[in-house]
Amino acid sequence: MENILKKYESVTPSDVKVWFNAGKTADFPADGGGCVKYKDKQIAVINFERRNEWYACQNLCPHKMEMVLSRGMIGSADELPKIACPIHKKTFSLKDGSNLSGDDLKIATYPVKIVEDEVLIGFMD
Ligand code: FES
């Protein structure tokens, strides 16, 4: 279990070495998400249209190791964008992946930029 989680590590904008083209903006439903694969990682891409923002995080929910976060529910808590796992509703910050449910679980997040209508996700390698 530990090994699966190890491959997910948050990336900050200054860490980015590779911008991966995840698809067109139209490929991702408004106020919803989609899942893309980058190397051996599944990444949830969130088109948070209500906030006019995009986010990317690991698709893996660390609670029961389910690949489900791209189908999570998005919302805002005190201005902080968040995503709730569709299974047991554990909630994570989309900004830094921290857990907002009071557990010791967190998720990796990745920078996203939109260039023309392409969705680019930043990785370290
Ligand atoms: S599997 Fe995601 S909260 Fe339980």
Side-chain angles (χ1 to χ4, degrees):
M1 195 184 277
E2 196 104 314
N3 286 344
I4 306 176
L5 272 179
K6 259 192 201 141
K7 64 184 173 194
Y8 295 100
E9 196 183 335
S10 284
V11 176
T12 63
S14 58
D15 291 333
V16 173
K17 301 253 181 336
V18 179
W19 286 102
F20 168 68
N21 188 329
K24 304 265 186 211
T25 52
D27 296 337
F28 300 94
D31 295 313
C35 181
V36 297
K37 195 152 191 247
Y38 176 71
K39 297 188 176 174
D40 60 350
K41 300 176 175 67
Q42 282 192 32
I43 304 296
V45 180
I46 308 299
N47 174 7
F48 208 148
E49 194 173 85
R50 287 195 303 275
R51 298 175 60 107
N52 197 24
E53 294 167 353
W54 287 77
Y55 293 96
C57 64
Q58 67 186 52
N59 193 34
L60 178 71
C61 177
H63 178 224
K64 295 286 184 194
M65 300 302 185
E66 301 280 353
M67 292 290 188
V68 291
L69 290 181
S70 64
R71 294 186 280 118
M73 287 151 293
I74 56 174
S76 302
D78 297 332
E79 288 309 300
L80 186 69
K82 61 177 186 171
I83 188 161
C85 174
I87 300 185
H88 308 103
K89 316 284 187 285
K90 293 205 182 284
T91 305
F92 304 91
S93 160
L94 284 167
K95 288 256 190 224
D96 66 4
S98 58
N99 186 295
L100 304 174
S101 307
D103 306 289
D104 189 23
L105 301 168
K106 79 184 297 239
I107 58 171
T109 56
Y110 304 87
V112 181
K113 67 179 181 183
I114 307 299
V115 178
E116 317 245 308
D117 62 346
E118 310 283 345
V119 181
L120 305 178
I121 304 176
F123 292 100
M124 281 190 271
D125 56 19

